[in-house]
Amino acid sequence: MQFGLFGGARTKRGAGFEDSQGYDSFIEYVVEADRLGFKQLFMVEHHFTGHGQVSASMTVLAYLASKTKHIRLGTAVVVLPWHNPVLIAEQAATLDLLSGGRVDFGVGKGYRQAEFDGFCIPIAEATERFDEAMEIIRKAAREGYNLLLDQLAQTDQIIRRIKLFREECKSAGRAYDPGMVATARPLQMIHSESERAAAYETRKRVLATIGDLARDKLPDRVEDDTAPLLGTPGEVIARLKELEAGGATNILLVDPNASVNNLRAFAREVMPSFISQRSAAAE
C-alpha cells in the first residue's frame, strides 16, 4: 500500500486570508509530503466558489514540480468542457517534461451548475464537449486509462468498483496492476476519545458541502460512514487493512485541515504498518 494526497489549497472563510497565503501553506504541505515519502498529489480544479479553489491547477503544479523531487503530480480533474483540448494537451505535456515525467493527467466532464454558468457553457453540453475533447487529446497523447475513486464512496463500494475494473481489464486483455487505481479517503486521525465528537462535526460539515457528489445514498449517521479514515491510529490502520484486502492499495489522503502536523503524525504512526510489509515482500 502507498499513500498520496488529494485536494488543493484551502483558505478559511472569514479568516481574512489572501489567496497567496493559502497557496503558501499548501506548497509547504506538499513539499513536506514529498520529504515524508508520500507518492502522489492529485489536485482539483474549481472556479467561482470563492473558497478553497484552485483555478489554475497546471500553474500550481508547475511550481510544485520545481519544489519537489519525487512525488507524482496529478490533476483530478481538468474539466475538459471548459478548455481548448489542444492547449490543455500541450500544457500537460510541458508540465510532464518540466517535472521529469511525474505527471498523471486526470480529466472529467464537470458537475457543478454554477461553474458552467460562470463560463457561459450549458451543462447539458458537458458530455458532448467532453467526448469531443477526448477524441482530440487521444490523438496527441497515449491511451491506457486508470481509475480514480471518489472520497465519498463507502468501503464496500470501493471494493466492488475495483473488482469491476479488474474484470474489465481482463476482458479487454489489459494487464491489471493495483497502481492503476487510486482511492481518495478523508483523513481525520484522533489521539483521544475527547477529540472524536469534534471529528464527527467536521465530517458533517464536509458532507454538507460536498455531499451532492455522492452517486449512492450516504449513511444516515456520520458514525456509520465508512468512507473516512476517522479514528485513532489503530482504527485508521484497521480501515486501511480492510481496503488493502479489497484491492485498494493506492490511497490519496484528503485532510480537511491540510495540516503539516497531521501529515507527520500519519507518516509516523500509520505508514510504518504498511511500508514494512512492502519492504519485507520485496526481500
Side-chain angles (χ1 to χ4, degrees), residues 170-183:
K170 183 178 180 181
S171 298
R174 181 185 180 193
Y176 175 80
D177 183 274
M180 294 175 177
V181 182
T183 303

Side-chain angles (χ1 to χ4, degrees), residues 21-279:
Q21 291 174 295
Y23 283 125
D24 285 346
S25 60
F26 179 68
I27 289 162
E28 178 188 358
Y29 180 67
V30 176
V31 169
E32 181 66 6
D34 184 47
R35 189 188 71 80
L36 291 170
F38 287 79
K39 301 299 183 183
Q40 293 173 302
L41 162 68
F42 276 91
M43 184 179 292
V44 299
E45 175 191 5
H46 284 300
H47 303 265
F48 314 121
T49 65
H51 172 66
Q53 70 183 37
V54 177
S55 302
S57 56
M58 290 287 193
T59 302
V60 179
L61 289 173
Y63 185 80
L64 285 168
S66 71
K67 303 287 287 187
T68 58
K69 296 180 180 179
H70 306 291
I71 195 168
R72 294 193 63 81
L73 305 170
T75 56
V77 294
V78 169
V79 182
L80 291 184
W82 304 336
H83 297 276
N84 181 301
V86 175
L87 290 177
I88 206 69
E90 289 180 338
Q91 289 178 34
T94 301
L95 176 59
D96 195 50
L97 289 171
L98 290 173
S99 66
R102 288 188 283 140
V103 170
D104 294 306
F105 184 49
V107 297
K109 69 176 183 179
Y111 65 93
R112 292 186 178 181
Q113 182 71 53
E115 291 180 305
F116 278 86
D117 291 345
F119 286 115
C120 298
I121 296 173
I123 197 170
E125 297 179 5
T127 298
E128 184 179 0
R129 287 172 176 266
F130 176 84
D131 291 342
E132 181 183 18
M134 282 303 300
E135 183 179 354
I136 294 170
I137 289 173
R138 286 167 64 180
K139 294 177 181 178
R142 290 181 301 171
E143 295 184 44
Y145 304 127
N146 295 328
L147 183 66
L148 175 59
L149 298 175
D150 68 277
Q151 61 176 299
L152 291 174
Q154 302 298 294
T155 298
D156 62 331
Q157 294 170 336
I158 293 294
I159 292 171
R160 286 199 304 270
R161 292 169 186 174
I162 291 175
K163 182 175 183 291
L164 177 62
F165 183 73
R166 184 187 293 121
E167 291 170 351
E168 289 299 315
C169 285
K170 183 178 180 181
S171 298
R174 181 185 180 193
Y176 175 80
D177 183 274
M180 294 175 177
V181 182
T183 303
R185 295 287 84 179
L187 174 65
Q188 291 179 257
M189 199 159 68
I190 62 174
H191 293 84
S192 69
E193 285 304 312
S194 63
E195 300 173 358
R196 193 177 296 273
Y200 283 147
E201 287 303 313
T202 297
R203 182 64 181 160
K204 288 178 183 177
R205 288 195 297 273
V206 170
L207 292 177
T209 302
I210 64 171
D212 62 322
L213 295 178
R215 299 295 185 264
D216 303 292
K217 189 177 184 296
L218 291 168
D220 293 327
R221 301 191 318 147
V222 70
E223 291 87 349
D224 299 326
D225 187 0
T226 63
L229 304 174
L230 191 158
T232 63
E235 290 173 314
V236 169
I237 290 170
R239 181 64 54 80
L240 287 168
K241 295 283 188 184
E242 184 180 3
L243 287 164
E244 184 179 43
T249 59
N250 187 10
I251 305 299
L252 305 178
L253 303 177
V254 188
D255 183 349
N257 298 312
S259 160
V260 168
N261 287 336
N262 291 349
L263 206 60
R264 290 171 178 165
F266 184 88
R268 181 177 62 249
E269 300 172 30
V270 175
M271 285 173 66
S273 297
F274 300 91
I275 293 173
S276 59
Q277 289 183 1
R278 189 169 67 228
S279 300

